[in-house]
Amino acid sequence: MSGGRWTSPYWSSFLPIFFDRVTKIMRKNVNEEIADTGLTSAHTIYLIALNLKDGQTMVELSKFLDYDVANTSRVIKTLMQEGYVYNDRKTPQSRKYKIHLTEMGKNLAERVMDFEESKMEEYFGNVETEDLLHMRDTLITILRSMDPEIDDYISSPFDNPYYTLLQTNPPGDGDRFFVTGRAPKKKK
């Protein structure tokens, strides 16, 4: 690559293949981790979202995750039947209600978040911090080229996908990008 221009078709297919493979591996890992529950990684995304911002309407939750409401409705129905979430309807006819995690749902969301964090530590454990920061900066540059609204999307206090609420900066890296997050883990 010279002057920022692609010189090989290799790279135009490598990144999509790379990210697709990473996504498949992470889904598979989560599915194996939670096999005892009868749920899948597709369900846990909703649990994590509610763990980060509990008490959302179907529309708010759909917007939070950037999923359609019909899909959210199907997943929440399953999660309710399995006892992971509940709604705060005043009557069965109430149209306005919010979805909340049960204790079991909160425990599973935390379990999956801890599991994903441990897998990332495992995968990235042998990569130098400087290389990780360079890779992050490069990927953000690519994402900004693809989505000019990405900074608004990431920094929105209202409509964040669940993963932007996780800390995006390593400790000591300042606040060049949106940092919120899960409370730091207590040392054991």
Side-chain angles (χ1 to χ4, degrees):
M1 188 161 41
S2 68
R5 306 192 84 212
W6 292 106
T7 57
S8 166
Y10 169 80
W11 288 106
S12 61
S13 60
F14 173 78
L15 285 176
I17 291 168
F18 172 81
F19 288 119
D20 183 60
R21 190 70 185 144
V22 167
T23 300
K24 283 181 182 177
I25 290 168
M26 286 306 295
R27 281 187 192 141
K28 179 180 173 272
N29 289 340
V30 170
N31 287 339
E32 289 172 359
E33 171 66 15
I34 63 166
D36 61 312
T37 67
L39 299 177
T40 68
S41 62
H43 297 100
T44 62
I45 291 170
Y46 288 88
L47 296 175
I48 291 170
L50 288 167
N51 194 42
L52 293 168
K53 186 179 177 186
D54 201 15
Q56 298 186 62
T57 66
M58 291 283 202
V59 171
E60 290 168 339
L61 186 55
S62 297
K63 195 171 182 184
F64 189 80
L65 290 169
D66 199 21
Y67 289 154
D68 69 55
V69 177
N71 186 62
T72 297
S73 181
R74 284 189 298 274
V75 172
I76 293 302
K77 181 179 178 182
T78 299
L79 292 173
M80 286 182 76
Q81 290 169 343
E82 298 297 323
Y84 292 99
V85 300
Y86 67 94
N87 66 49
D88 60 8
R89 286 182 192 206
K90 303 296 183 228
T91 68
Q93 294 77 25
S94 296
R95 294 182 147 252
K96 270 291 227 192
Y97 61 90
K98 292 188 178 194
I99 306 299
H100 300 272
L101 288 174
T102 63
E103 191 62 33
M104 187 168 75
K106 183 163 183 51
N107 290 339
L108 183 56
E110 288 290 331
R111 175 179 157 193
V112 172
M113 291 171 80
D114 290 344
F115 174 76
E116 287 181 340
E117 187 175 320
S118 72
K119 292 308 275 184
M120 289 297 108
E121 288 174 10
E122 175 186 329
Y123 298 149
F124 289 93
N126 294 326
V127 181
E128 295 293 327
T129 301
E130 184 178 314
D131 293 335
L132 288 173
L133 293 173
H134 182 70
M135 178 176 59
R136 179 205 55 193
D137 291 346
T138 301
L139 292 172
I140 288 172
T141 300
I142 293 167
L143 190 53
R144 282 188 177 128
S145 294
M146 294 171 69
D147 182 0
E149 298 174 3
I150 191 63
D151 289 320
D152 292 337
Y153 178 71
I154 290 173
S155 65
S156 168
F158 306 108
D159 302 323
N160 291 314
Y162 80 93
Y163 36 82
T164 64
L165 288 172
L166 301 174
Q167 183 168 327
T168 58
N169 290 351
D173 192 38
D175 56 355
R176 292 175 37 200
F177 301 101
F178 185 61
V179 179
T180 76
R182 276 177 85 184
K185 287 200 181 250
K186 294 178 183 165
K187 299 287 183 196
K188 292 181 181 179

